[in-house]
Amino acid sequence: MLGHSTDKYVTGTMSQTSIAHRWSKLHAERWSHAPGELPPLVPRDTEIAMLLRGHTAVDRRGGGMRQYTEGGRGTIWLCPAGVEEEFISVDKPMDDCLHVFLPGQPFADTMLQEFDLDPTRVELRYESVERDPFIEYVAGEILRELSMETAAGRLLCESLGVALAAHLVRHYAGTPVRLPSPPRAEKPLDHRRLQRVREYVMSNLDQEDITVQSLAAVACMSVAHFARSFRAATGMTPHGYVSDERMALAKVRLRDETQSITEIALAAGFSSHSNFTRAFRNATGMTPAMFRARLLER
């Protein structure tokens, strides 16, 4: 997904994008915005914009509601999919802003599959928010993944997309929505189910399409139940486990001189040689080339 920002932010400059990371449940971009008026738009994706630093003032009208917000670090502007933004004026520069887009179909699927809610009955508010600790946490995880890609970043952002969708419905629906609480007697991720998940991961480490949804299906659980149960059983998140396994396999492959580091990087789930090198150095204190040279010396 590409979001709608290039049509909307005609006075801004994009500095980062998640396009190369191939995330499926959300898309993220980092922008700076100069003062000026923006064109009217009916967004196809739900957008969350959060100011990362500096101060600004934004005057906007959407869904028949006029809002003027003087914002600082952590201020959030929410624009639901399908709500026409009739007028937007950035009155003071926005030096650094993160924009997160939740695509319509995955958002609807999350409501239906995870929370048994009819997505056509859930309408989010067009709203500005001074602070939201959970959205700040999600933004921090997204920013870290944008700057330092991990081997299972797609799984992480898939989980973040589901969690963020649930958070928006719980806290920013136009009419109160009560999400079902986890059953007290949820089935644990027993040894048999856990072994099936591990075997699936090991058989598909080279595949880009390892998702939390696919892992949950192997365990015959819902995504939310699986994520909770996997962490309870292993002490790790699903994306943390897959990331560790991919890095371990990359170390083994570095012994084979016939495989280029770029090939190993792509097989390990990274979008580029450079991102793999940064993550590998962060994990081992050495670049892949240095690690390979040391193995060959031995």
Side-chain angles (χ1 to χ4, degrees):
M1 62 172 296
L2 301 178
H4 52 255
S5 57
T6 53
D7 297 325
K8 179 177 180 179
Y9 296 117
V10 296
T11 64
T13 302
M14 187 195 303
S15 59
Q16 279 185 307
T17 175
S18 66
I19 289 177
H21 298 274
R22 306 181 300 278
W23 298 344
S24 61
K25 293 290 188 181
L26 61 81
H27 174 70
E29 295 172 351
R30 200 165 179 173
W31 285 74
S32 60
H33 301 287
E37 291 190 10
L38 306 182
L41 183 76
V42 179
R44 58 181 177 270
D45 306 316
T46 292
E47 179 183 2
I48 304 163
M50 189 177 81
L51 189 63
L52 300 176
R53 60 186 174 89
H55 293 83
T56 188
V58 176
D59 188 11
R60 66 177 192 163
R61 182 172 62 241
M65 180 182 298
R66 183 76 176 264
Q67 294 175 347
Y68 180 81
T69 307
E70 292 192 4
R73 181 181 179 277
T75 300
I76 294 161
W77 289 266
L78 176 63
C79 182
V83 173
E84 181 180 5
E85 290 197 285
E86 307 157 33
F87 169 83
I88 306 174
S89 176
V90 179
D91 296 339
K92 297 179 183 178
M94 303 177 77
D95 298 328
D96 194 3
C97 191
L98 178 68
H99 297 262
V100 178
F101 302 90
L102 298 177
Q105 191 57 48
F107 190 103
D109 290 346
T110 296
M111 295 303 96
L112 187 60
Q113 295 170 3
E114 295 301 317
F115 309 112
D116 197 26
L117 295 174
D118 180 356
T120 62
R121 295 177 176 271
V122 178
E123 294 184 1
L124 301 180
R125 300 193 299 270
Y126 184 77
E127 188 165 330
S128 61
V129 184
E130 185 176 356
R131 299 292 291 268
D132 185 311
F134 182 78
I135 294 179
E136 288 185 25
Y137 161 76
V138 171
E141 293 294 303
I142 290 171
L143 290 169
R144 275 188 286 275
E145 190 63 34
L146 280 175
S147 300
M148 181 67 76
E149 186 180 18
T150 62
R154 295 184 70 199
L155 266 77
L156 169 63
C157 290
E158 180 192 3
S159 299
L160 292 176
V162 171
L164 190 55
H167 180 79
L168 294 182
V169 170
R170 188 186 297 274
H171 296 281
Y172 299 104
T175 57
V177 174
R178 186 170 183 175
L179 298 182
S181 300
R184 292 184 178 180
E186 283 184 334
K187 294 181 180 179
L189 187 63
D190 57 34
H191 175 75
R192 179 176 55 85
R193 293 171 187 262
L194 181 58
Q195 186 60 29
R196 287 175 60 185
V197 171
R198 284 175 168 162
E199 289 173 356
Y200 177 85
V201 169
M202 294 307 298
S203 299
N204 293 275
L205 280 178
D206 286 356
Q207 305 301 314
E208 290 185 359
D209 59 353
I210 293 183
T211 64
V212 179
Q213 188 170 3
S214 67
L215 296 179
V218 169
C220 299
M221 294 178 169
S222 72
V223 171
H225 181 189
F226 170 75
R228 289 190 298 270
S229 298
F230 187 89
R231 186 160 194 167
T234 67
M236 302 179 68
T237 60
H239 73 269
Y241 175 75
V242 173
S243 181
D244 283 356
E245 292 298 324
R246 280 179 167 162
M247 290 298 282
L249 183 57
K251 291 177 183 179
V252 173
R253 286 176 167 163
L254 285 169
R255 298 175 184 271
D256 182 359
E257 290 185 274
T258 64
Q259 295 190 59
S260 71
I261 292 178
T262 297
E263 290 173 333
I264 295 171
L266 296 176
F270 290 89
S271 60
S272 68
H273 182 150
S274 59
N275 285 343
F276 173 59
T277 297
R278 279 195 295 270
F280 195 91
R281 187 201 296 270
N282 188 54
T284 67
M286 293 181 283
T287 65
M290 293 167 60
F291 186 86
R292 168 174 276 176
R294 184 166 296 184
L295 288 174
L296 296 177
E297 287 175 4
R298 293 176 180 175

